[in-house]
């Protein structure tokens, strides 16, 4: 056990961490689950004045060895010389509840989408604005199926049409992907808010990726490639900014129509959100106190100003604020194991 007091762990729950959100689970339920897990783990530590953390009791075996009487160790116990029973845990109840933990998502994933989700807890909320304004590139695997169409472009919608698809080949699908990417390439500078023949456009291009001016603009595709093709199913790898699940579903539908057929989106999975990848993401079984604290320390290096200020148009005051926040977060994460 890393901590001897719940308050020591609670004070360190300030930062950014990353999880893998399962499909069919809304982000509100994800946050509620994490809050419940954190409250459970903190309440398993000493929370009140007369509580201490001790090793689990053991008993002697016939062969001379000793075995634990309980499976979880160490355990919280109340000192025998407690003078005021009103301060006993059975009187006061749990010290922490789910609402004690403020958690916010950045770029929240819809219910029917899975993948990398970045969250901020406590003081980590101040970083979420910088992450959002950095206009990070996101990578998705979008699966589709030829031969049928629904009223809402999803596999759970009402089927409104069935068509043939055996005439579709991978070269034809690759061509449609190239056309979709080329169309968005022409609009890059328009979405960035500059004229494509201006000096400002040239300077934008020299800096690297040309990003939209803000998050309220239309979706921008930077790469569309077919990575798996087994009729009637196919998978596209899409690099995008300002994307939505509805846009991806519409894109799959339009590709089906242009190939003289129909198609429906069957699955959307986010593999990367800027510098946060699947390597950072905690699975649902790992949404616990110690794992989240470890993940906050791992994600801290992705909060460096050199990474957060990419594509962000902010003034010097905000830069100084970010540097100060980054130093404070570094102090918190460096003391997690102490």
């Amino acid at each position: 056990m890393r901590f001897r007091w719940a308050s020591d762990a609670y004070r360190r729950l300030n930062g950014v961490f990353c999880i893998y959100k399962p499909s069919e689970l809304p982000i509100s339920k994800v946050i509620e689950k994490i809050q419940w897990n954190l409250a459970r783990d903190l309440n398993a530590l000493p929370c009140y004045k007369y509580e201490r953390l001790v090793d689990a009791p053991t008993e002697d075996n016939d062969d001379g060895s000793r075995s634990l009487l309980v499976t979880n160790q160490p355990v919280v116990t109340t000192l025998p010389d407690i003078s005021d029973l009103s301060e006993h845990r059975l009187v006061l109840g749990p010290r922490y509840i789910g609402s004690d933990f403020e958690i916010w998502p950045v770029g929240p994933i819809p219910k029917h989408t899975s993948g990398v989700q970045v969250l901020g807890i406590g003081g980590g909320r101040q970083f979420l604005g910088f992450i959002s304004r950095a206009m990070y590139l996101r990578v998705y695997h979008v699966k589709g199926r030829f031969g049928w169409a629904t009223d809402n472009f999803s596999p759970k919608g009402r089927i409104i049409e069935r068509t043939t698809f055996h005439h579709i080949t991978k070269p034809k699908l690759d061509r449609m992907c190239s056309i979709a990417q080329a169309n968005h390439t022409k609009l890059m500078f328009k979405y960035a808010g500059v004229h494509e023949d201006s000096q400002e456009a040239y300077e934008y291009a020299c800096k690297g990726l040309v990003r939209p001016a803000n998050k309220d603009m239309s979706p921008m595709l930077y790469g569309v490639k077919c990575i798996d093709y087994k009729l009637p199913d196919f998978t596209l790898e899409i690099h995008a900014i300002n994307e939505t699940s509805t846009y991806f579903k519409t894109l799959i539908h339009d590709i089906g129509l242009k190939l003289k057929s129909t198609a429906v989106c069957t699955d959307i999975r986010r593999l990367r959100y800027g510098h946060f990848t699947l390597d950072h993401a905690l699975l649902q079984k790992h949404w616990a106190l110690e794992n989240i604290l470890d993940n906050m320390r791992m994600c801290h290096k992705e909060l460096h100003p050199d990474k957060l200020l990419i594509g962000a148009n902010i003034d010097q005051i905000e830069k100084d604020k970010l540097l100060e926040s980054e130093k404070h977060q570094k102090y918190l994460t460096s003391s997690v194991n102490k």
Side-chain angles (χ1 to χ4, degrees), residues 114-275:
S114 63
V116 176
Q117 176 65 66
V118 180
L119 300 169
I121 182 171
R125 182 180 185 180
Q126 58 191 326
F127 291 101
L128 300 186
F130 290 104
I131 294 175
S132 178
R133 294 172 63 180
M135 306 297 292
Y136 281 149
L137 188 71
R138 279 85 88 171
V139 180
Y140 291 82
H141 280 180
V142 181
K143 295 183 179 181
R145 178 172 296 170
F146 290 118
W148 53 305
T150 61
D151 57 349
N152 60 358
F153 304 147
S154 74
K156 294 187 177 181
R158 181 173 59 88
I159 298 177
I160 59 176
E161 185 179 4
R162 291 186 181 273
T163 56
T164 59
F165 54 84
H166 297 288
H167 63 281
I168 301 175
T169 61
K170 189 173 185 301
K172 291 181 180 180
L173 178 57
D174 289 338
R175 182 172 179 272
M176 288 297 104
C177 293
S178 299
I179 292 175
Q181 179 177 337
N183 290 336
H184 279 260
T185 302
K186 295 178 182 179
L187 298 174
M188 279 186 182
F189 294 106
K190 178 181 178 181
Y191 289 170
V194 299
H195 193 278
E196 58 182 350
D197 296 327
S198 64
Q199 177 65 24
E200 188 177 4
Y202 172 76
E203 293 174 356
Y204 261 82
C206 291
K207 293 179 180 179
L209 197 65
V210 180
R211 307 169 192 269
N214 57 68
K215 63 181 181 179
D216 297 323
M217 301 193 71
S218 301
M220 186 70 205
L221 303 184
Y222 294 85
V224 183
K225 180 176 64 175
C226 178
I227 60 174
D228 186 56
Y229 181 79
K230 296 178 182 178
L231 281 179
D233 299 310
F234 62 96
T235 303
L236 303 182
E237 182 175 286
I238 301 178
H239 299 239
I241 294 178
N242 284 351
E243 76 295 334
T244 63
S245 60
T246 301
Y247 180 80
F248 287 148
K249 293 174 183 178
T250 305
L251 176 65
I252 295 297
H253 175 75
D254 292 342
I255 288 177
L257 294 179
K258 292 178 180 178
L259 291 173
K260 310 299 181 182
S261 181
T262 55
V264 65
C265 179
T266 57
D267 184 67
I268 302 175
R269 186 165 72 107
R270 184 158 73 188
L271 279 71
R272 182 162 66 93
Y273 188 97
H275 302 291

Side-chain angles (χ1 to χ4, degrees), residues 88-118:
H88 197 282
R89 180 183 288 248
L90 296 179
V91 176
L92 296 174
R95 173 63 179 84
Y96 298 95
I97 59 176
S99 58
D100 291 332
F101 311 96
E102 296 183 327
I103 301 175
W104 302 269
V106 58
I109 301 177
K111 177 181 178 180
H112 302 296
T113 303
S114 63
V116 176
Q117 176 65 66
V118 180

